[in-house]
Amino acid sequence: MMTDHSWAELEKQQEKSLVELFASDPDRVAKMTIEQSGLRFDVSKTHLDDAILSQFSKLANDMLLGDAKSALFSGAAINITEGRAAEHPAERGNGDVQAVAHARALQERMRGLVEAIDAGFMGDIKHILHIGIGGSALGPKLLVDALGRDGARYDVKVVSNIDGAALTEAVKGMDPHKTIVAVASKTFTTTETLLNATSAMEWMRDGGVADPYAQIVALTAYPDKALEWGVDESRILPFNESVGGRYSLWCSIGFPVALGLGWAVYEELLEGAAAMDRHFRNAPLMENAPTMAAFCDLYYAQIKACETRAVFAYDERLRLLPDYLQQLEMESNGKSVTAQGVPLGRNSAPVTWGGVGTDAQHAVFQLLHQGTHLIPVEFIASKTPGHDYDTAHHETLLVNCFAQGAALMAGQKSDDLARNYAGNRPSTTILMDDVTPSALGALIAFYEHRTFVNAVLLGINPFDQFGVELGKQIAKSIGDTGATGFDPSTTALIAAALGDN
Ligand code: F6P
């Protein structure tokens, strides 16, 4: 196959050290830095050079990346295993005309409810308890945490875990009479979400709320299910089924952003993402931020067999970004078969992990600098601080971020091997002008498209997630029929913790 040839050619490339790459090309930083939407993407501290990039271009051609992009934006059924489109760009105004109009109409419906709530339609509301899990929680949680720090219009809490301790913690300090419970579930069947929602209603009843249903808002692609569950039609905010769960923060799953932070913030977020869509669609491969970042990902995961990639937010506002990216990247591309259902025959997506700087420096960076694993690292920072304290805080934060990238690359020789830093360890840096709604929209859309390019070049369908089903089925069968037919260890654990069940 042509693609095998392209991968074989990539494997043959002679890699230069990072220091050599900079020494041999004075324009390397300019060539390998892309500025877009208030974000500066610097991939110069990676091992990609002209020869490797040219092979990746060939691979992109072999894998018909251009056609795949057109299919994504035209609303073709590219999620072939589930027979549907992946229309998150339409939520940002980029896509098939009808899909865009439909998305807009549903967003206007959400706007109507936001304005009605502001006007007192649901009483004197102070709190939003958003209940969802996975894609129905991670995006809203990240956005509210990142953008709501200067004071949200409503107090927003996000609950996902089925462990009741999470709900207990979230409702502390909430007045049940002044709380909207937003039940967010694309399918409206997810066990965790429906049980948490039921318990939240119990909390309301215990707090003296006569009709908890009157305070429920449902965010779902299956409005009939929400209706059946008891939510009034006027408080159901539907979204298009062709928007995948982990791509759904742009539609009504973003309700706590639209209500909690205000409609203008939500609009700006969409506009930022739309600008990144246009960049992804139109910029040539070598000037295309999501594509270049995906080339880096593929180089390390495929050619250098790196099993993980690390993401460190050097900005407290982005502390939840690694969690968000874990679902986006691992649920999308953690697969062993191609979209055609044949074995992948290559490594799938690496494990995404990370944390915040500078905290992580004092915990996990030892391994990044001197461990035996090669781990590409991504740093994300903002030029503008998210606080008013002494500028020393932000300067020190940024200096530390850049120092880590420099140290990973340059290393430091020592005859004492315990003190030797081998260096030549790759990193990428994303520097934001500021963590604004528009820049964050662009950043998240960048990651979505980067994940998409990774998938296309590997031949994976990034829009299904069959791997999560088996565990759900087994949990259900234990609930339904007890601990029968399991291995002895599982049977013993169930007996020890749950009795005869
Ligand atoms: O179990 C995985 C998953 O289906 C995710 O893909 C999804 O984001 C999450 O569960 C929640 O699903 P839903 O929004 O349908 O409740």
Side-chain angles (χ1 to χ4, degrees):
M1 268 177 42
M2 296 249 288
T3 54
D4 290 342
H5 176 71
S6 294
W7 283 116
E9 286 301 309
L10 271 162
E11 262 144 32
K12 273 196 236 154
Q13 297 301 314
Q14 287 295 317
E15 184 186 278
K16 291 202 186 88
S17 77
L18 295 173
V19 170
E20 280 167 348
L21 285 168
F22 279 99
S24 62
D25 185 356
D27 291 335
R28 183 167 175 81
V29 175
K31 270 195 206 157
M32 301 201 63
T33 298
I34 297 167
E35 305 246 11
Q36 175 60 39
S37 303
L39 307 168
R40 177 188 166 102
F41 299 91
D42 180 346
V43 298
S44 63
K45 290 200 221 57
T46 65
H47 293 88
L48 276 61
D49 60 10
D50 289 345
I52 294 173
L53 284 168
S54 136
Q55 284 307 324
F56 270 116
S57 293
K58 285 194 186 128
L59 179 66
N61 281 337
D62 294 350
M63 294 306 286
L64 307 177
L65 177 62
D67 291 357
K69 277 160 70 167
S70 303
L72 171 72
F73 286 105
S74 69
I78 53 173
N79 175 0
I80 55 172
T81 50
E82 296 181 306
R84 58 179 176 236
E87 290 188 295
H88 45 285
E91 301 290 324
R92 285 103 69 146
N94 290 314
D96 165 64
V97 179
Q98 276 186 349
V100 168
H102 185 47
R104 197 66 218 170
L106 293 176
Q107 287 165 350
E108 283 303 321
R109 180 182 165 88
M110 171 157 74
R111 183 186 194 151
L113 186 60
V114 165
E115 285 171 359
I117 292 168
D118 283 346
F121 163 68
M122 291 178 70
D124 178 19
I125 297 300
K126 297 268 182 280
H127 316 281
I128 305 166
L129 180 62
H130 178 96
I131 298 178
I133 197 162
S136 292
L138 290 163
K141 204 169 168 182
L142 162 66
L143 292 169
V144 170
D145 189 56
L147 302 171
R149 290 174 174 243
D150 289 337
R153 297 166 358 121
Y154 297 84
D155 161 45
V156 183
K157 295 275 161 43
V158 178
V159 174
S160 46
N161 199 351
I162 199 157
D163 185 337
L167 183 60
T168 307
E169 185 61 28
V171 298
K172 269 185 197 159
M174 281 189 166
D175 177 345
H177 295 274
K178 297 184 174 181
T179 300
I180 284 177
V181 175
V183 186
S185 176
K186 178 175 174 182
T187 55
F188 227 79
T189 58
T190 303
T191 310
E192 289 92 331
T193 301
L194 296 183
L195 184 53
N196 272 329
T198 303
S199 297
M201 290 210 295
E202 196 179 306
W203 164 74
M204 285 176 158
R205 264 189 218 101
D206 291 349
V209 175
D211 180 13
Y213 278 106
Q215 287 172 228
I216 303 278
V217 172
L219 321 171
T220 182
Y222 293 89
D224 291 354
K225 290 228 166 70
L227 207 57
E228 222 174 89
W229 196 79
V231 188
D232 189 81
E233 201 268 333
S234 64
R235 282 176 277 100
I236 297 176
L237 297 176
F239 65 92
N240 196 337
E241 197 206 11
S242 61
V243 176
R246 54 193 170 277
Y247 304 86
S248 64
L249 65 88
W250 318 102
C251 51
S252 64
I253 297 295
F255 173 72
V257 179
L259 179 63
L261 308 183
W263 191 258
V265 168
Y266 175 72
E267 286 275 16
E268 264 187 62
L269 185 80
L270 295 181
E271 278 161 24
M276 185 55 72
D277 287 338
R278 290 191 292 273
H279 165 77
F280 176 55
R281 224 172 154 173
N282 302 324
L285 291 188
M286 298 300 144
E287 294 159 36
N288 195 303
T291 307
M292 287 289 275
F295 289 168
C296 298
D297 294 339
L298 290 165
Y299 183 73
Y300 291 109
Q302 303 300 322
I303 308 301
K304 307 296 287 181
C306 297
E307 292 190 339
T308 80
R309 87 178 199 94
V311 180
F312 296 101
Y314 271 70
D315 197 296
E316 196 65 19
R317 291 167 291 183
L318 299 177
R319 65 183 171 165
L320 299 180
L321 184 66
D323 291 5
Y324 177 82
L325 293 180
Q326 283 189 319
Q327 189 202 17
L328 176 64
E329 299 182 355
M330 293 162 72
E331 196 167 83
S332 296
N333 290 341
K335 291 163 189 169
S336 310
V337 289
T338 68
Q340 276 67 42
V342 298
L344 184 61
R346 314 199 56 80
N347 300 332
S348 72
V351 173
T352 307
W353 64 282
V356 300
T358 57
D359 296 17
Q361 287 175 207
H362 300 274
V364 298
F365 272 54
Q366 162 63 39
L367 182 148
L368 297 176
H369 287 287
Q370 287 189 318
T372 53
H373 295 86
L374 177 66
I375 301 176
V377 177
E378 186 147 281
F379 299 103
I380 299 124
S382 162
K383 287 188 207 169
T384 315
H387 60 83
D388 296 327
Y389 284 107
D390 190 325
T391 53
H393 281 275
H394 202 60
E395 280 161 20
T396 312
L397 179 72
L398 291 184
V399 161
N400 268 277
C401 174
F402 305 145
Q404 291 302 323
L408 285 165
M409 176 174 113
Q412 192 175 66
K413 299 279 166 274
S414 169
D415 293 337
D416 173 359
L417 289 187
R419 291 180 171 76
N420 185 59
Y421 296 80
N424 198 29
R425 297 185 177 215
S427 65
T428 45
T429 305
I430 301 173
L431 183 60
M432 306 173 77
D433 288 343
D434 195 2
V435 181
T436 59
S438 142
L440 195 48
L443 181 71
I444 295 172
F446 155 80
Y447 279 114
E448 287 177 350
H449 293 318
R450 171 186 189 162
T451 303
F452 179 68
V453 177
N454 268 287
V456 172
L457 269 58
L458 287 171
I460 284 176
N461 172 11
F463 300 115
D464 62 16
Q465 59 283 320
F466 297 115
V468 300
E469 294 308 323
L470 180 60
K472 287 187 200 173
Q473 281 163 21
I474 293 180
K476 186 168 180 323
S477 84
I478 296 173
D480 290 351
T481 56
T484 50
F486 292 105
D487 61 88
S489 162
T490 307
T491 307
L493 284 167
I494 293 168
L498 303 171
D500 288 341
N501 200 34

